[in-house]
Amino acid sequence: MDPNFRKAALEYHEQGRPGKLSVTPTKQLSNQRDLALAYSPGVAAACEEIVNDPQNVFRYTGRGNLVGVITNGTAVLGLGNIGPLASKPVMEGKAVLFKSFAGLDVFDIEINESDPDKLVDIIAGLEPTFGGINLEDIKAPECFEVERKLRERMSIPVFHDDQHGTAICVVAAFLNGLTVVGKEISAVKLVVSGAGAAALACMDLLVDMGMPLENIWVSDIEGVVYKGRVALMDAAKERFAQDTTARTLDEIIDGADVFLGLSAGGVLKPTMLKRMAPRPLILALANPNPEILPEDAHAVRDDVVIATGRSDYPNQVNNVLCFPYIFRGALDVGATTITRGMEKAAVLAICQLAREEQDEGAAAAYGLEETTFGPNFFIPRPFDSRLIVRIAPAVARAAMAEGVATRPIQDFDSYIYQLQQFVYKSGSFMQPVYALAKGLVQDGAKARIVFAEGEDERILRAVQIVVDEGLAKPILVGRPAVLQQRIERYGLRIRLGIDVEVTNPEQDDRFHKYWTAYWEIMSRRGISKEMARVEMRRRMTLIAAMMLRMGDADGMICGTVGNYANHLQLIDQVIGKAPGVDTYAAMNILLLSERTVAIADTHVNEDPDEHQLAEITCAAAKKMRQFNVEPKAALLSSSNFGTSNSSAARKMRATLALVKTADPSLQIDGEMHGDCALDEQMRARVLPGSPLEGEANLLVCPDVEAANISYNLLKTAAGGNVAIGPFLLGANAPAHIMTSTSSIRRIVNMTAITVVDANVNADVS
């Protein structure tokens, strides 16, 4: 290990609270009543319900979301038999992966016991605690016996990840790799280096997926696995013994189509690779040093397709691709075991996902250019956010089909939405909006949304999701040749002219109509005919706005490139304010861990007066009601109910009076500090007579600086960068201006919102 990396790793584990895990309560415990509910006497009620029906344990405890990661430390990856104590950092790391990727809680348990029968007794006795057991780093062949006996004794999933997790990921890479090289599983010769638990599990699963047993040739530390061999043989290995006089890897590699390495670095020599069949597939999975390095493989053959277990090369085969999501699906249906059918379902889900376009999160995490299915991308990357919504439902369905699900899922659409909430924190908030937008599209309502920056990567990826989910009828402003080239580069499936309409800024028959109409609007504001014609060709937001004005689109999205104010200027010129509106504003909604809050005005008015603030507050409250959220507004200030007489404090007091007149039904108070807005008890102490009840969910700031700073601080520090917006308030048509930092999911969310807006707002006059 590089000395600097080793130092960084030790600091990572030591800094702050040592280790990588903590236990976090899921219920508040802030007063005597909470204590009575959580423990004595209230806890007795939950205990009695479980006595009456053991299935109630999943209603009243966390068992259904709890996995035990258990080891005796006898075969820790890359370290060997280091014992249970030294294996604890690895088990904590596994726990972090479960939590981070699938939202599953974990207790890691390191057991000081090497006798297989005693180990089985200890683990089996823990069944009441866990929803599932992940066995880890137990040496072969004892691991086979331990898992088999536990599966016989326990009625919860028991999964030895070193075997089955590896096998699932390897087989997915194997199948997709064969597709890349154009070969069939039934006709290839496979040479395997290594015959431990992982390798044997891989070969078993490959045979179940259609690999002929006689086509598999195995070599381990003792050489070729052949009939009659005695040294280091067992029943599991004997299954793959060949009737041959060959005794070394070098002797069996000739003509091999696939090499699978789960052994040691450097065992596949370049001279061996030269003798393999044309277009060989290499899965060199030893860590940290693969059986052959990709650069060494490519140096001797230009037709090789290769995967490793390392993140610094393309095609990383990593167990994290499957084990969190297999447990997620298994626990969510109360599976009593993990069957071969569930494993196969996971394999096929991984295979299919790799054939689709690259995921934004994975692309950002790895910074890799190759995003289309092929030699450099035939297995999903671990940070692909879609893994959970593909694998977990596939595993759950398989468990139900095989009769091992005790709590079958009745509504898979709702289940997938729940999983999406883990990936996209906006999922719960947006679900009803998505449902409404889909219904509007299906009913033929107004759903043509034009995207001004159609050539932007985030827009294209967002539009792919919009098309897949049926949220809108997209229109892309962009050059067709450029759009097509980028669609292919990103591995997207959008079909220009079929799935999306294209408005070409270089040539469109409608442009004469657009620029002449624009000139008529702007002729008395210093814009000549020639300038109108030029502007219409180079301003994508102007094109989108004219399409909306002229009835060629029902809504628009812009702003992923450029300055917010510049986009608003063009929208104002063409679309204008809604009747009776004097002030534009921008509102953002933040989905924080314990609350949802909207903040206004985050982007438009530098120093609004009380009349503008009152209009902004009423518009923001109206928008929140569209989401079926009852607004509770707080007018924020550095003054707390008269503690200061600053100009901002006076402005907010005046705003309060105006809003009460304009919208008497709105719960509102101010001027107040931010903590009083969010803490009802503090507000009651400071001002017992405040009409605002509960926590404020609409925060109105005295100027754009305060609002924008508050929004970005909360979004980053407390919101996990999860926000919805910005909503442009006050425009005479559904037009929303994004920001340069907008994520793909935020663009998708705003697209659905724009479709809904198009069907509740008045047309452009």
Side-chain angles (χ1 to χ4, degrees):
M1 185 182 295
D2 176 79
N4 289 330
F5 186 79
R6 179 183 179 84
K7 180 181 178 183
L10 292 174
E11 289 176 349
Y12 173 86
H13 284 80
E14 184 182 18
Q15 66 184 358
R17 181 183 296 180
K20 300 187 285 284
L21 289 177
S22 68
V23 176
T24 304
T26 60
K27 306 292 190 297
Q28 68 178 14
L29 192 66
S30 56
N31 53 47
Q32 188 276 334
R33 178 173 171 77
D34 291 342
L35 180 60
L37 292 170
Y39 199 52
S40 181
V43 72
C47 296
E48 290 165 353
E49 291 299 311
I50 296 169
V51 170
N52 293 334
D53 181 357
Q55 284 294 310
N56 281 331
V57 72
F58 300 107
R59 295 180 61 188
Y60 300 119
T61 78
R63 184 177 184 241
N65 199 58
L66 184 61
V67 174
V69 172
I70 301 179
T71 188
N72 64 358
T74 53
V76 178
L77 180 65
L79 298 171
N81 188 355
I82 61 174
L85 187 63
S87 73
K88 188 170 181 64
V90 181
M91 300 309 112
E92 284 191 352
K94 194 83 170 189
V96 169
L97 297 179
F98 270 109
K99 186 67 174 180
S100 298
F101 287 103
L104 289 165
D105 297 315
V106 165
F107 292 158
D108 65 292
I109 299 180
E110 296 76 28
I111 301 174
N112 188 18
E113 182 55 70
S114 58
D115 181 276
D117 289 327
K118 292 181 180 178
L119 187 61
V120 167
D121 287 338
I122 294 169
I123 297 172
L126 297 171
E127 181 170 353
T129 300
F130 297 108
I133 300 291
N134 182 91
L135 300 176
E136 194 77 17
D137 294 346
I138 301 171
K139 72 181 180 71
E142 288 88 341
C143 61
F144 305 121
E145 180 183 357
V146 169
E147 184 189 54
R148 178 180 58 80
K149 289 183 176 179
L150 286 173
R151 286 188 169 187
E152 290 172 354
R153 291 176 58 174
M154 303 179 78
S155 58
I156 59 174
V158 178
F159 187 80
H160 186 208
D161 185 47
D162 298 328
Q163 292 183 62
H164 310 297
T166 301
I168 289 165
C169 295
V170 168
V171 172
F174 188 100
L175 295 177
N176 274 358
L178 286 185
T179 299
V180 171
V181 300
K183 298 181 181 181
E184 296 292 332
I185 190 172
S186 61
V188 295
K189 176 183 176 181
L190 167 64
V191 172
V192 181
S193 176
L200 290 168
C202 290
M203 291 185 283
D204 282 337
L205 185 53
L206 280 169
V207 171
D208 283 356
M209 298 296 291
M211 182 84 192
L213 191 63
E214 61 271 19
N215 290 9
I216 301 175
W217 296 73
V218 185
S219 175
D220 63 8
I221 195 170
E222 284 289 323
V224 173
V225 174
Y226 61 89
K227 290 188 183 297
R229 195 181 105 173
V230 176
L232 291 182
M233 291 295 288
D234 54 56
K237 199 180 296 186
E238 183 67 37
R239 182 186 186 203
F240 299 97
Q242 291 276 7
D243 188 3
T244 179
T245 59
R247 294 295 182 262
T248 66
L249 176 63
D250 186 69
E251 293 177 84
I252 60 174
I253 198 69
D254 287 356
D257 297 283
V258 185
F259 171 84
L260 169 59
L262 290 154
S263 53
V267 303
L268 181 63
K269 308 300 181 186
T271 54
M272 298 180 189
L273 177 57
K274 286 182 179 180
R275 306 202 312 273
M276 292 181 68
R279 201 87 163 121
L281 173 63
I282 308 297
L283 305 177
L285 306 181
N287 261 324
N289 300 312
E291 285 79 2
I292 188 169
L293 289 167
E295 56 265 33
D296 294 338
H298 290 299
V300 297
R301 295 191 63 155
D302 58 9
D303 64 342
V304 67
V305 173
I306 187 168
T308 71
R310 286 173 46 161
S311 61
D312 53 347
Y313 291 109
N315 300 318
Q316 182 192 18
V317 180
N318 189 319
N319 288 19
V320 78
L321 288 174
C322 72
F323 72 79
Y325 317 115
I326 288 172
F327 272 95
R328 179 76 278 163
L331 267 62
D332 288 341
V333 294
T336 57
T337 187
I338 293 176
T339 67
R340 183 63 100 194
M342 294 161 73
E343 294 176 7
K344 287 182 177 180
V347 169
L348 297 177
I350 295 171
C351 285
Q352 179 58 40
L353 185 56
R355 296 163 190 257
E356 300 179 13
E357 66 276 3
Q358 175 67 288
D359 174 75
E360 173 200 13
Y366 289 90
L368 299 175
E369 291 295 324
E370 188 66 52
T371 59
T372 57
F373 184 77
N376 290 323
F377 181 49
F378 58 83
I379 191 77
R381 297 185 175 112
F383 282 94
D384 193 317
S385 60
R386 299 166 298 180
L387 286 163
I388 190 172
V389 296
R390 301 300 179 83
I391 298 176
V395 169
R397 284 191 173 100
M400 292 165 59
E402 300 209 332
V404 298
T406 62
R407 300 190 304 279
I409 292 170
Q410 303 300 324
D411 184 349
F412 266 91
D413 288 339
S414 296
Y415 176 56
I416 291 170
Y417 266 119
Q418 292 172 16
L419 296 175
Q420 286 176 332
Q421 291 174 36
F422 178 76
V423 179
Y424 306 114
K425 306 304 182 185
S426 59
S428 178
F429 187 89
M430 288 299 302
Q431 182 176 352
V433 180
Y434 278 17
L436 182 54
K438 288 180 182 180
L440 290 167
V441 172
Q442 292 169 357
D443 293 342
K446 297 178 180 179
R448 299 169 301 163
I449 307 302
V450 58
F451 296 85
E453 295 89 15
E455 296 175 4
D456 182 84
E457 178 181 356
R458 285 169 297 162
I459 292 294
L460 288 171
R461 291 188 183 278
V463 166
Q464 180 68 74
I465 297 171
V466 168
V467 169
D468 288 344
E469 299 192 12
L471 297 174
K473 298 177 181 177
I475 305 169
L476 297 174
V477 178
R479 297 160 290 178
V482 174
L483 290 171
Q484 188 60 46
Q485 184 264 334
R486 293 185 179 179
I487 287 169
E488 293 173 1
R489 182 199 303 172
Y490 305 140
L492 304 177
R493 294 165 282 108
I494 310 168
R495 297 168 297 174
L496 300 180
I498 299 174
D499 300 317
V500 298
E501 181 184 331
V502 176
T503 298
N504 184 357
E506 294 180 342
Q507 179 59 49
D508 191 294
D509 294 340
R510 297 169 293 185
F511 270 30
H512 182 270
K513 177 178 68 173
Y514 291 166
W515 76 256
T516 52
Y518 179 61
W519 177 67
E520 290 174 0
I521 297 168
M522 300 299 294
S523 60
R524 290 184 178 272
R525 287 190 268 177
I527 298 294
S528 65
K529 278 188 175 183
E530 184 58 32
M531 179 60 70
R533 186 184 296 112
V534 170
E535 289 288 274
M536 191 56 62
R537 294 287 182 186
R538 69 176 185 173
R539 305 286 189 189
M540 303 301 104
T541 296
L542 184 57
I543 294 171
M546 286 304 302
M547 291 187 71
L548 183 55
R549 181 184 177 92
M550 304 297 287
D552 294 326
D554 302 312
M556 66 174 283
I557 299 284
C558 63
T560 57
V561 178
N563 179 274
Y564 192 100
N566 293 338
H567 291 283
L568 180 57
Q569 181 182 23
L570 295 173
I571 290 172
D572 182 47
Q573 290 175 355
V574 175
I575 304 298
K577 300 183 182 75
V581 172
D582 295 320
T583 307
Y584 291 114
M587 179 183 80
N588 279 278
I589 294 177
L590 287 168
L591 307 179
L592 306 178
S593 59
E594 296 182 358
R595 56 175 59 89
T596 297
V597 295
I599 300 180
D601 161 35
T602 53
H603 288 87
V604 179
N605 299 283
E606 183 175 344
D607 186 18
D609 61 26
E610 59 269 28
H611 298 283
Q612 291 174 308
L613 280 172
E615 188 173 357
I616 291 168
T617 303
C618 292
K622 180 180 178 181
K623 176 59 69 175
M624 292 183 71
R625 289 181 180 123
Q626 289 181 9
F627 288 99
N628 293 318
V629 176
E630 186 57 36
K632 297 180 180 182
L635 303 174
L636 301 186
S637 171
S638 60
S639 172
N640 207 24
F641 301 113
T643 57
S644 169
N645 203 36
S646 66
S647 59
R650 294 196 303 272
K651 180 170 64 174
M652 301 313 270
R653 290 174 209 151
T655 299
L656 177 63
L658 293 171
V659 173
K660 284 183 174 180
T661 299
D663 188 352
S665 66
L666 176 63
Q667 277 198 56
I668 185 172
D669 205 354
E671 81 286 11
M672 70 175 72
H673 289 171
D675 52 2
C676 276
L678 299 179
D679 188 333
E680 181 182 21
Q681 293 180 350
M682 179 180 293
R683 187 168 63 252
R685 290 196 302 270
V686 174
L687 191 69
S690 174
L692 188 60
E693 299 176 358
E695 300 174 351
N697 57 16
L698 172 57
L699 309 180
V700 181
C701 297
D703 56 53
V704 75
E705 295 290 338
N708 192 271
I709 290 170
S710 299
Y711 161 68
N712 282 298
L713 284 174
L714 280 172
K715 175 169 67 78
T716 303
N721 287 315
V722 180
I724 300 174
F727 300 82
L728 177 59
L729 305 176
N732 194 29
H736 293 295
I737 305 170
M738 308 303 296
T739 63
S740 60
T741 59
S742 295
S743 67
I744 291 171
R745 181 51 54 171
R746 199 182 306 175
I747 296 168
V748 173
N749 288 340
M750 289 306 298
T751 303
I753 288 167
T754 306
V755 169
V756 174
D757 286 347
N759 290 276
V760 297
N761 288 1
D763 293 336
V764 180
S765 56

